[in-house]
Amino acid sequence: MDNDLLSSLLNDPDALQNAMKTVTGMLGGTESSASPPKTDYDPSSELLERALPVIGTIVQSGQSAVGPEKRALLNAVKPFVTDEVAGHFDHAMRLVSMARMARAALGQLGGQGDAPPDGGVQSL
């Protein structure tokens, strides 16, 4: 690339933006990835980056608190019981999930280092 062409490209913000869009499109990226990095320090974004894996682990433990076979069994029994009993099934599954997530959160925060691997919460 010739120096005059490069100089004119750098001196014209619109032309530079168009060139960046073209290169980004050719590389398969998105337009936002071509924008310059943000120079302001945002401590909440750093905290969020560190917290997301921990939160994901906690949520995953709650989702796996009731095994799929047991969940399927309870859901299969629901049509044969009263609405009140079916509601108790749902409530019990939510409580077990929340208890498992609470135990996982305590473990992540260092509260219960000697807790059993299942968190001490009886699984359904």
Side-chain angles (χ1 to χ4, degrees):
M1 184 178 266
D2 144 331
N3 283 339
D4 292 332
L5 182 59
L6 182 60
S7 178
S8 66
L9 184 64
L10 292 174
N11 289 329
D12 184 2
D14 292 331
L16 181 60
Q17 186 68 25
N18 287 336
M20 290 177 69
K21 286 181 185 178
T22 303
V23 170
T24 301
M26 289 179 1
L27 295 175
T30 60
E31 186 176 322
S32 63
S33 65
S35 62
K38 192 174 178 181
T39 57
D40 296 335
Y41 175 69
D42 185 8
S44 63
S45 67
E46 183 180 330
L47 177 64
L48 187 60
E49 282 180 28
R50 291 184 9 209
L52 282 178
V54 173
I55 293 169
T57 301
I58 293 168
V59 170
Q60 183 67 28
S61 71
Q63 290 173 341
S64 65
V66 179
E69 298 87 10
K70 293 175 183 175
R71 187 177 299 274
L73 176 63
L74 290 171
N75 286 329
V77 171
K78 280 184 187 181
F80 303 104
V81 298
T82 65
D83 288 341
E84 182 181 357
V85 172
H88 289 305
F89 287 169
D90 292 335
H91 186 71
M93 286 190 286
R94 282 193 304 271
L95 285 175
V96 169
S97 294
M98 290 187 322
R100 183 71 64 89
M101 288 191 308
R103 179 64 73 174
L106 283 173
Q108 290 288 334
L109 296 173
Q112 296 277 335
D114 57 346
D118 69 352
V121 177
Q122 183 71 27
S123 295
L124 287 181

